[in-house]
Amino acid sequence: MYQNPILYADYSDPDVIRVGEDYYMVASSFAYLPGVPLLHSRDLVHWEIINYCVRSLPFKKYDRPSHGSGTWAPSIRVHEGIFYVFIPLPDEGIFVATSTDPYGEFKLHCLHEVKGWIDPCPFWDEDGRAYMVFAYANSRCGIKHRLDLVEIDPQCTKVLSEPITIFDGEQLGPTTEGPKLYQYQGYYYILMPSGGVATGWQSVLRSKSVKGPYEYRIVMHQGNTDVNGPHQGGWVTAVDGKHWFLHFQDVHELGRITHLQPMCFNNGWPFIGTEQNGDGIGEPVREWRLPKVGEPEYQIATSDDFAGERLGLQWQWQANPKDFFYSVKGHKGLRLSCLSNETRDNLLWYAPNALTQIPQHQAFSMTAKVRLQGHKKGDMAAIGMIGHKYAYLGMEKTESGQALNLYTGTVTEKNFEGKAVETLSVSLPYEGDTVTLRLEVYYSKMYRFAWSADGIRYNFLGESQPLTRASWTGAKLCLWSANKLNCLSEGYGEYEFIHIEDRSNGEAGV
């Protein structure tokens, strides 16, 4: 048996395919880069990160944080031996990443330059023609309830037709988005979420023609379960012919976590989950039989001793990656340069060189051994949590020596470069250049910092902080080195290790 959620982590807007006996999943990552993580599984339950489909975005605005922008809900397909990942950038257009090897390099190109098109999904029909179904971003073009279809060339390099509307859900399915197009037993099916991220439901369109007309049906909703807004995901058929549906649930502070539902067909319509309240619509399952037993129980890496020649796949920057942000070669641990910010005050919300990680548990601790090699006053090496209310604790070089400084921040403008204010909440003089810092996240959706001079005895510093989401993502763990006075410096923070411990079976405590 497996239990939902299969991933208590913010891999939002998932899509999934099977190639042979291997499953591949992609998810949105917005302005965190490298972007569009590619995950692999052999049983649909246990996953590992194997790659990213986007190394960086080819626009100067992504050299700085552009919160809530970037790579939105992607889709993944394989056609004639090529992996195609369709990626919407709501401000720039529809992009496609391609590779013949899911572990290799993906090449990114623009399919169509346009603002407001989102959630694209390709489809190759039996007659050799190719199509793309997509939705619209209300924040960009004022539309949020319509699905359109365009013909594209089979190599996915250009759009060949004007969009035609195949579903207008202004009354039936407000906030319809995330369409995925399939063909099965003589019907074209479009699986789509409706009703909004937090409170919506899963719908299906069905037609004998790819261009419609389509019939509409709701096939999964919350019902009497505690899984709110169960929708937006992908349908995959296993080797044994059984159908599965992978989708998210919005848990707000930690983002959109991943569930796996059994799926079957009833009178030509998909049925997802199980019937629990007699209304004829499926509800999410809490547990179910494993799709396949005896397969590797992959896990997504969290802890890191930075022993390799490059960063682990669990890490993403808050903007386009730059080589001068860090180094892991020729020394012990990870070195993050104490950079200044060229355009703004040096706040965490504005920092392209903030190194982030998606939390993988509901309650956990992160411990880091940190050494500050400060060259100028204001040099700092810190750990923290990014959200619309955020905090970080670091060792900082001051006029009188080293100090452990706890900063708290509040985001006042949440999208694009945005705006934030920060306050130095606590400052504690500290002797030496090395400290072990800890951040503990509790079931209460609060977190707190602690420090230790010897790595054994810990002391709390400051008050508990509220866990909050970031722009279109859950809260993010981060490592950050910077010069807080915005001076050019050759200083750096050295992180010997990061150890993350799952505390989901009991409250974290010092």
Side-chain angles (χ1 to χ4, degrees):
M1 305 292 287
Y2 71 89
Q3 290 189 334
N4 276 317
I6 56 170
L7 294 172
Y8 206 104
D10 186 30
Y11 296 104
S12 62
D13 310 318
D15 191 27
V16 61
I17 58 170
R18 178 178 62 83
V19 181
E21 296 187 355
D22 296 284
Y23 298 95
Y24 299 96
M25 180 176 74
V26 291
S28 57
S29 49
F30 302 93
Y32 294 91
L33 292 153
V36 188
L38 179 59
L39 292 84
H40 167 256
S41 175
R42 296 277 293 186
D43 64 5
L44 283 171
V45 172
H46 303 93
W47 294 88
E48 60 175 344
I49 303 177
I50 61 169
N51 207 347
Y52 286 92
C53 303
V54 177
R55 289 295 163 186
S56 62
L57 290 172
F59 300 96
K60 189 172 179 60
K61 84 174 195 181
Y62 295 106
D63 289 341
R64 300 186 296 273
S66 186
H67 301 282
S69 189
T71 60
W72 284 26
S75 61
I76 183 170
R77 296 290 183 268
V78 170
H79 180 66
E80 296 182 346
I82 299 174
F83 286 78
Y84 289 88
V85 181
F86 273 51
I87 303 164
L89 275 63
D91 301 301
E92 291 86 14
I94 303 299
F95 285 73
V96 181
T98 59
S99 179
T100 57
D101 178 8
Y103 293 83
E105 180 182 357
F106 278 78
K107 295 181 179 180
L108 187 69
H109 68 268
C110 182
L111 171 72
H112 189 59
E113 184 178 342
V114 65
K115 184 171 183 174
W117 290 18
I118 59 169
D119 304 355
C121 179
F123 178 79
W124 291 264
D125 211 344
E126 294 171 340
D127 61 4
R129 299 171 75 176
Y131 300 89
M132 179 181 74
V133 62
F134 64 94
Y136 291 92
N138 184 53
S139 60
R140 271 41 175 206
C141 60
I143 304 170
K144 65 174 183 175
H145 51 76
R146 203 173 85 203
L147 300 183
D148 281 9
L149 183 81
V150 293
E151 186 173 356
I152 61 176
D153 72 299
Q155 290 73 42
C156 306
T157 63
K158 58 186 176 182
V159 169
L160 301 180
S161 70
E162 291 297 316
I164 61 170
T165 297
I166 56 174
F167 179 74
D168 188 331
E170 186 172 10
Q171 292 176 271
L172 277 176
T175 316
T176 287
E177 54 192 348
K180 303 295 187 295
L181 177 56
Y182 308 89
Q183 190 177 28
Y184 182 70
Q185 294 186 346
Y187 283 101
Y188 296 88
Y189 294 94
I190 296 176
L191 276 66
M192 61 189 192
S194 300
V197 168
T199 58
W201 56 89
Q202 180 64 32
S203 303
V204 171
L205 301 176
R206 185 183 77 167
S207 176
K208 286 286 188 177
S209 168
V210 69
K211 295 182 180 180
Y214 281 90
E215 305 171 86
Y216 171 83
R217 180 172 292 191
I218 297 174
V219 293
M220 181 175 65
H221 64 174
Q222 179 174 349
N224 58 356
T225 75
D226 60 359
V227 182
N228 59 294
H231 59 63
Q232 184 132 344
W235 158 25
V236 65
T237 303
V239 176
D240 62 4
K242 292 182 178 179
H243 305 289
W244 300 90
F245 185 69
L246 199 74
H247 69 95
F248 72 65
Q249 174 197 5
D250 186 9
V251 293
H252 200 73
E253 291 84 0
L254 288 174
R256 288 172 271 184
I257 61 177
T258 310
H259 290 242
L260 180 68
Q261 304 298 334
M263 174 174 150
C264 65
F265 278 79
N266 182 34
N267 294 324
W269 287 95
F271 185 92
I272 301 174
T274 60
E275 169 59 274
Q276 298 184 34
N277 60 4
D279 61 6
I281 300 173
E283 285 88 32
V285 302
R286 176 59 63 187
E287 65 176 12
W288 201 257
R289 292 178 297 278
L290 272 168
K292 191 175 182 181
V293 297
E295 293 295 336
E297 295 188 0
Y298 297 119
Q299 291 184 340
I300 295 172
T302 55
S303 300
D304 205 338
D305 61 4
F306 306 107
E309 293 189 352
R310 62 183 63 186
L311 286 171
L313 291 173
Q314 65 267 51
W315 299 105
Q316 295 173 287
W317 301 96
Q318 200 171 226
N320 275 332
K322 304 294 182 183
D323 289 343
F324 60 82
F325 286 174
Y326 77 102
S327 171
V328 291
K329 294 181 180 180
H331 47 79
K332 187 176 183 180
L334 165 71
R335 288 185 180 180
L336 295 180
S337 301
C338 292
L339 299 179
S340 59
N341 191 314
E342 297 177 355
T343 61
R344 319 186 63 168
D345 293 339
N346 213 356
L347 310 187
L348 178 59
W349 190 248
Y350 306 153
N353 62 316
L355 184 60
T356 74
Q357 183 179 145
I358 298 171
Q360 300 290 323
H361 311 289
Q362 192 173 4
F364 61 92
S365 65
M366 179 175 79
T367 304
K369 187 173 182 180
V370 181
R371 174 175 172 260
L372 176 65
Q373 185 61 47
H375 281 218
K376 287 191 175 180
K377 185 174 68 173
D379 283 352
M380 178 202 66
I383 69 171
M385 185 73 80
I386 296 175
H388 289 150
K389 288 186 179 296
Y390 63 86
Y392 55 94
L393 171 63
M395 183 183 295
E396 185 173 339
K397 184 177 177 66
T398 69
E399 282 189 355
S400 57
Q402 313 280 30
L404 298 179
N405 285 346
L406 174 62
Y407 289 88
T408 56
T410 300
V411 176
T412 57
E413 292 184 12
K414 299 176 181 179
N415 293 317
F416 305 107
E417 290 189 67
K419 287 185 180 179
V421 292
E422 283 188 7
T423 301
L424 176 58
S425 297
V426 181
S427 183
L428 178 70
Y430 185 83
E431 294 184 3
D433 61 2
T434 302
V435 66
T436 302
L437 303 177
R438 178 173 287 175
L439 183 157
E440 300 190 346
V441 177
Y442 308 111
Y443 278 111
S444 61
K445 300 179 180 179
M446 303 292 289
Y447 64 97
R448 198 171 183 185
F449 292 96
W451 65 274
S452 173
D454 57 12
I456 300 173
R457 296 177 295 274
Y458 285 84
N459 307 280
F460 282 125
L461 188 68
E463 300 297 321
S464 296
Q465 307 293 326
L467 194 66
T468 67
R469 70 183 315 149
S471 299
W472 289 110
T473 78
K476 303 272 189 178
L477 291 166
C478 77
L479 313 178
W480 185 41
S481 293
N483 184 278
K484 287 298 295 174
L485 300 180
N486 231 352
C487 299
L488 293 175
S489 174
E490 296 180 358
Y492 58 85
E494 190 167 79
Y495 299 77
E496 184 175 323
F497 62 81
I498 304 296
H499 179 69
I500 295 178
E501 183 180 353
D502 180 10
R503 302 289 184 87
S504 298
N505 292 323
E507 286 286 348
V510 173

